[in-house]
Amino acid sequence: MCRKLFILIVALVSFIAASAQADKAEENYQAGRQLRRDGKCTEAIPLFKKAIEQKPTFAAAHYELGWCYNELGQYNIALPILQQAVKLEPTGFRSLYEAGFAKYKLGRVEEALVDFNQVIKLNANYEKVYIARGDLYKDAKKNTAAALADFLKALSLDSTEKKIHYRIGWCYNDLGKFSDAVPYLQKASSFEEQNYLSYSELGFSLFSLNRFDEAMGHLNKANTLKPGFETTIYYIGLCHVKQNKKQDAVQKYNELVQLNSNYAALLLNEIKLMK
């Protein structure tokens, strides 16, 4: 057999073997995706790992594996996997988003912000990144105005995120725009009828607008869903003060004392000012 023919045969065998491995990698990847869609990340992870072992340049498998680790809250494991996905596919905005999300959860706020900004450059219509960046502005940067802009942008992109209306309402409340907050919080409470935060925040909006009877209805609903939530109890107490129901206000003060809440002293000061 001539040397040239031998080389061709070896190359052909290698190509066939590589193709077979690629096919197996695809099979494992698709099986893993199905498990992941069914909410079974723990079962999906070994399949994605196997797919990567069979095809190390499989960017999508790296993304799915990193996504699963993020979903399981194992951000330190997810991050290097997602960074590899980005390296393999620099325009993969979903991988970059998940990497930024992992960084944010690991307290690497500035790095996360850089990633989120880059995601928006790659795909300005990816609503999830506006929610994530909004949360970063709201909670880490304490920049409510910037957070609100991102949440409104996400909503304009038809976000299906259930808590987006709550986030917008909270921001309007934090900015003192209580009338603007009300319709968003009303939607939030109607979309998630068991979410005590939406009722409590709506109660705060209405209290701030001097609509005390309406506020009490929502605050009591929040208190039923989540007994012992200090903010709710405090504003129920303030409503009693405004309605001149001193005995009821004192009862809420005592509840706050039992909870060792800093709100207790604030409510007591309001009670002392009652006639």
Side-chain angles (χ1 to χ4, degrees), residues 35-36 39-46 48 67-69 71-72:
L35 287 169
R36 194 267 286 174
K40 299 177 180 178
C41 273
T42 303
E43 293 89 337
I45 283 173
F48 292 135
W67 189 97
C68 281
Y69 278 122
E71 182 70 9
L72 295 171

Side-chain angles (χ1 to χ4, degrees), residues 230-231 234 253 255-269:
E230 297 174 22
T231 304
Y234 173 63
Y253 162 74
E255 288 182 31
L256 291 170
V257 170
Q258 291 296 316
L259 293 169
N260 294 316
S261 172
N262 292 330
Y263 282 119
L266 296 175
L267 182 56
L268 181 60
N269 288 337

Side-chain angles (χ1 to χ4, degrees), residues 78-95:
L79 183 54
I81 297 168
L82 292 162
Q83 288 174 321
Q84 181 63 17
V86 174
K87 184 177 180 181
L88 291 168
E89 188 183 8
T91 58
F93 63 90
R94 289 184 176 84
S95 295

Side-chain angles (χ1 to χ4, degrees), residues 126-195:
Y126 190 52
E127 74 274 6
K128 288 179 66 175
V129 73
Y130 293 102
I131 296 172
R133 194 175 69 171
D135 283 339
L136 185 153
Y137 281 135
K138 172 179 170 290
D139 299 325
K141 293 284 192 179
K142 308 302 180 185
N143 187 338
T144 303
L148 176 60
D150 273 351
F151 294 146
L152 288 170
K153 177 64 175 180
L155 185 62
S156 74
L157 294 170
D158 296 325
S159 171
T160 57
E161 166 63 43
K162 289 184 178 180
K163 291 183 173 57
I164 190 67
H165 290 89
Y166 167 76
R167 286 175 166 95
I168 293 171
W170 186 96
C171 285
Y172 275 129
N173 272 348
D174 195 53
L175 293 170
K177 299 180 178 181
F178 308 114
S179 294
D180 292 327
V182 169
Y184 289 100
L185 293 168
Q186 286 173 330
K187 287 183 179 179
S189 58
S190 66
F191 291 157
E192 289 190 291
E193 294 184 358
Q194 300 304 309
N195 183 6

